[in-house]
Amino acid sequence: MSVAASRLDEPLGKVLGMRTAGGLGRLGLETVEDLLRHYPRRYGSPGEMTEIGRLVPGEHVTVMAQVRTAQVRTMRSRGGAMLEAVVTDGRDTLQLTFFAKRAGVLRMHESKLVPGRAGLFTGTVGEYRGRRQLTHPDYIIVGVDAADQDEAMLEASRPIPIYPAAASVPTWRIGRSVRTVLDPLVEEDVPDPVPEEIRKERGLPTLLEALRAVHVPDDPEDWRRGRDRMRFEEALVLQTALARRRAAREALAAVPRPRAGGRLVDALDARLPFPLTGSQREVGATIAQDLAAATPMLRLLQGDVGAGKTVVALRAMLQVVDAGGQAALLAPTEVLAAQHLRTLEQLLGPLGHGGMLGGADTATRVALLTGSQGSKARRVALAEAASGAAGIVVGTHALLSEGVQFADLGLVVVDEQHRFGVEQRDALRARGAHPPHMLVMTATPIPRTVAMTVFGDLETSLLTEKPAHRAEIATHVVPADNEAWLARAWARVREEVDQGRRVYVVCPRIDADDAPEEADALAGAPESDAGGALELDDGAGEAPKAPLASVSETAVMLGERPELAGVRIGVMHGRLAPESKDAAMAAFASGEAPVLVSTTVIEVGVDVPDATMMVVLDAERFGISQLHQLRGRVGRGSLPSVCLLVSRAEEGTVGKERLDALAATTDGFELAEKDLELRREGDVLGAAQSGGRNSLRLLRVVRDAALIDEARAVARRIVDADPELHEAPALAAAIDSWLGEDREEFLERG
Ligand code: ADP
Ligand code: MG
């Protein structure tokens, strides 16, 4: 760290004593800063000041009273211990009750609730054997927790911070520890990552002020102000880290590969069997420009499956070949690499037959390098890569780490893998004096907000248009308990069949007694706790669990439906033997068994152009992206198609909202945004965001998109003016501590 060791770095043991520090350690809190950054999860409201005589059960109140008695007892019947205290306001009495597993835990209360002492007691009024009582009240004892009665009143009127706690460390003890470390701090102790100039510009409190506001708020307005500043700080730290990375990359010199000449690109365009879509042209022009620059391109190209990314990549690769360089195309698996080779060769035709009989005179060659190929083929490919005879080399990531030599590698295209790690990038940099340009392609929709947060240092392009004329898919949500609608749905299935078309019926399970093994984990899994958040989200409100439709039961049920009399029904699931699977698919494709009841095994790779209808049972059990993929099995031909989502999800639940989103659009990116919105925040960035020391605590990529955008602009300004952050040492230090070892990889994705 470039900042002199500050009080924030002090170990908690030194400040709070080993015992308390030990408990906090179990929450992962080691230093003063850790504890101060352990923000309240939410705030309890202070109770209304009331006289004891007027207490009404169920009300949340605060009473000013004097302790009359306090006693710890062990409970023979229930085990454990309790502390009973009686307090009085001079006229009436009120009982306070605390329970604990061991009497020792209650001694702290006993030592403070000394008869004769006065205090403020806050809690919800309960009744026990006809007497009013407060169970586990919060309290402030005058002379102990507050200097005098006025201070006690002030304390009692504050919102009560409620911390993410553990059984061993209750929230009140965390609160007390926070006060112990926070109260003595002065501005000089708390270096602020947000530079003063930016703070003034945005009217933000200092870090110390914000910490006070968050931990010891006078009123709700106070903690909101503190929280907003913390959010901005998080966004700024992250975006500054990304801006520096970007600046560092831009400082590297790449070899410009301008479009000049463009013989292969033009020849390819001339022989393409289809016109490029507007989207492909636009993105192509942007990439062409990037490649012509002397700074290395790092661009993420997103486009739904079938958007036509391969052609865009090929045109970029040919531009580099035209300019005298080579390109590598990396696929996630060997099978896909081999498939790419075939596709490229087909698109190139004679343009890919360089040096061969019948090859065009401008032609280049495409080489394939995989781990499983024979040693002779491999030797040839290696030689072609090293000599430059192969303008394009296709392979898996291993291609970069295996010390494959290129004559002049100018562009690396990474297909379908947006997790392109540090090692790979380092391997690339180590390849030569000049890092190659890089194009990363993905069909997994990464919403803009996430791309900005996680991939803030790379440029993104989107292929919005789909090339082939795709048929419309109408999607409807059908309530599972509406027999009339269901009958109509099965009648519709019959109509499709009678017109010679095919229908999928998708179920979440195979047999009646199966777990829903195939359902998307997102749909049914318990939501993870985002931790450290200042707000509690409401529960997702999933539909109550009723028996889920299974393939075997549904096939029998459909066989008995009058609407489907005489229609052959096939079944398909992952447990069938390969021959049975093939037979089922063949019977379905040929129309012999035009209705196929299946699990989600049909999600990928199944292509039956005559399939025009899909019925998904218990649709709320599946995640948005999974349903989107499933739905992609219909509407593949030119016939308009329909998708029915049968569901028990109640109006107003997240499950229902997911289905409504699917009914509203077939745009994969829009759906991904919606998905993100509906998910609990902790899932968004995976482990990177949930818990851990150096994680995003308050920032949420969807909710805070605008804030992240602003922080990004501010970050670029800061880095442009002061790349080494000499003027902002606390910001530099925050980045260092945020970028723990593991965080580095998180940033390097892409
Ligand atoms: P993806 O983006 O999923 O990688 P592909 O590049 O594999 O998509 O393209 C899907 C199909 O669309 C391929 O058969 C490809 O030849 C075809 N295609 C690409 N661009 C166009 C276009 N402009 N017009 C018609 N078909 C196209
Ligand atoms: Mg592809």
Side-chain angles (χ1 to χ4, degrees), residues 441-463:
M441 308 199 292
T442 176
T444 309
I446 303 165
R448 198 185 71 87
T449 44
V450 174
M452 208 164 61
T453 311
V454 183
F455 305 102
D457 70 328
L458 46 67
E459 308 296 335
T460 59
S461 296
L462 202 59
L463 279 182

Side-chain angles (χ1 to χ4, degrees), residues 247-530:
R249 196 181 71 245
E250 282 173 355
L252 292 172
V255 179
R257 314 278 181 175
R259 179 71 209 273
R263 294 189 300 174
L264 279 169
V265 181
D266 292 340
L268 176 77
D269 285 355
R271 57 166 274 123
L272 281 178
F274 43 73
L276 295 172
T277 64
S279 242
Q280 283 171 322
R281 264 176 211 294
E282 221 171 277
V283 172
T286 310
I287 294 173
Q289 225 166 27
D290 285 355
L291 292 173
T295 55
M297 169 176 84
L298 180 51
R299 183 168 292 276
L300 177 70
L301 173 58
Q302 306 184 69
D304 220 343
V305 180
K309 295 186 288 294
T310 316
V311 173
V312 174
L314 180 56
R315 293 178 79 242
M317 294 193 285
L318 292 181
Q319 175 172 336
V320 170
V321 176
D322 277 334
Q326 289 169 292
L329 172 59
L330 308 186
T333 66
E334 297 206 343
V335 173
L336 287 171
Q339 193 176 303
H340 269 315
L341 176 75
R342 286 195 297 276
T343 307
L344 296 188
E345 284 185 331
Q346 198 193 346
L347 286 168
L348 286 167
L351 300 177
H353 300 158
M356 281 191 271
L357 209 59
D361 55 355
T362 50
T364 184
R365 288 166 80 111
V366 186
L368 176 70
L369 262 170
T370 65
S372 62
Q373 71 194 149
S375 61
K376 175 149 177 274
R378 185 175 170 80
R379 260 203 316 278
V380 172
L382 282 171
E384 287 187 344
S387 69
I392 297 173
V393 181
V394 182
T396 62
H397 288 146
L399 198 140
L400 295 182
S401 39
E402 279 172 357
V404 177
Q405 294 300 313
F406 288 86
D408 180 13
L409 183 59
L411 169 66
V412 173
V413 180
V414 184
D415 191 31
E416 295 301 351
Q417 194 155 25
H418 44 87
R419 286 190 64 109
F420 193 67
V422 200
E423 301 109 77
Q424 282 107 330
R425 275 204 212 174
D426 286 349
L428 274 181
R429 291 211 182 98
R431 284 221 150 251
H434 300 288
H437 297 283
M438 192 173 304
L439 178 65
V440 181
M441 308 199 292
T442 176
T444 309
I446 303 165
R448 198 185 71 87
T449 44
V450 174
M452 208 164 61
T453 311
V454 183
F455 305 102
D457 70 328
L458 46 67
E459 308 296 335
T460 59
S461 296
L462 202 59
L463 279 182
T464 45
E465 246 169 297
K466 285 225 182 157
H469 177 72
R470 283 229 158 181
E472 288 294 306
I473 306 174
T475 304
H476 305 285
V477 182
V478 178
D481 52 8
N482 189 325
E483 177 51 32
W485 284 43
L486 281 178
R488 176 74 199 101
W490 302 127
R492 175 69 192 268
V493 170
R494 180 56 182 256
E495 286 163 26
E496 296 293 323
V497 169
D498 285 348
Q499 292 186 64
R501 297 167 189 172
R502 316 278 184 278
V503 180
Y504 295 103
V505 179
V506 181
C507 307
R509 318 188 275 179
I510 300 175
D511 289 318
D513 43 0
D514 273 340
E517 52 172 21
E518 322 230 8
D520 193 297
L522 272 178
E527 310 280 10
S528 65
D529 186 342

Side-chain angles (χ1 to χ4, degrees), residues 13-171:
K14 199 172 142 198
V15 192
L16 297 171
M18 293 320 283
R19 260 193 59 161
T20 307
L24 294 169
R26 278 194 284 281
L27 288 170
L29 310 174
E30 305 289 345
T31 66
V32 167
E33 174 151 22
D34 291 347
L35 179 59
L36 292 177
R37 299 274 189 186
H38 189 70
Y39 306 129
R41 183 190 294 287
R42 63 188 171 86
Y43 295 87
S45 53
E48 186 109 0
M49 283 295 286
T50 316
E51 292 166 31
I52 291 177
R54 311 171 75 133
L55 294 180
V56 176
E59 277 183 353
H60 186 64
V61 298
T62 296
V63 296
M64 169 70 77
Q66 195 171 42
V67 181
R68 188 175 272 175
T69 61
Q71 250 177 355
V72 175
R73 303 195 278 117
T74 48
M75 293 181 291
R76 234 167 276 119
S77 55
R78 293 170 51 186
M82 73 185 290
L83 180 145
E84 277 177 327
V86 175
V87 297
T88 177
D89 59 6
R91 287 164 50 172
D92 303 288
T93 60
L94 172 69
Q95 181 155 315
L96 313 179
T97 314
F98 299 81
F99 298 99
K101 279 222 177 63
R102 288 172 293 106
V105 179
L106 299 170
R107 296 293 172 206
M108 187 281 297
H109 295 298
E110 198 182 24
S111 71
K112 290 176 66 178
L113 297 171
V114 174
R117 278 184 182 166
L120 284 162
F121 304 89
T122 300
T124 303
V125 182
E127 235 175 341
Y128 183 68
R129 295 196 173 144
R131 296 191 54 193
R132 306 283 135 95
Q133 70 167 11
L134 300 180
T135 307
H136 291 272
D138 282 311
Y139 60 89
I140 294 157
I141 300 293
V142 176
V144 178
D145 303 309
D148 51 33
Q149 190 157 328
D150 286 346
E151 194 185 309
M153 294 286 273
L154 174 71
E155 289 291 331
S157 66
R158 295 181 192 282
I160 303 158
I162 306 203
Y163 291 91
S168 55
V169 208
T171 172

